[in-house]
Amino acid sequence: MCQHQPACPSADSADREAALPVAHHPEQGWSLLCNGVLLFEDTGELLPDGKVIAPHRPLAAGRVVTAA
C-alpha cells in the first residue's frame, strides 16, 4: 500500500503509527495512515485486518497539592 521510499512501517509492526497520513480529519478525530491503519485522536487504532487497538495515551500527571 505504501509508495514512500523508504517504505513506511507495516500495519503489523510495533512502530505502525510512524507511517505517513494519507487522509487527516481532525474535525472527526481520525487519520488514515499509508499502511492502512486508522489512527484515532484518543490514540486508539483500527488495523486493516479489523483488529482494534485500545487507546494507549499516557495518563495525565497528577497535580501536586501542598498543605498551606
Side-chain angles (χ1 to χ4, degrees), residues 1-56:
M1 181 178 261
C2 178
Q3 301 297 317
H4 301 107
Q5 293 299 324
C8 291
S10 71
D12 298 338
S13 66
D15 60 345
R16 65 182 154 259
E17 294 174 16
L20 296 174
V22 294
H24 181 63
H25 293 277
E27 72 283 359
Q28 296 176 357
W30 62 271
S31 295
L32 175 63
L33 304 181
C34 70
N35 57 7
V37 172
L38 272 173
L39 180 62
F40 296 96
E41 183 177 84
D42 68 355
T43 69
E45 301 170 23
L46 180 61
L47 303 184
D49 64 2
K51 182 178 177 185
V52 174
I53 306 295
H56 51 276

Side-chain angles (χ1 to χ4, degrees), residues 61-67:
R63 293 188 336 184
V64 175
V65 179
T66 57

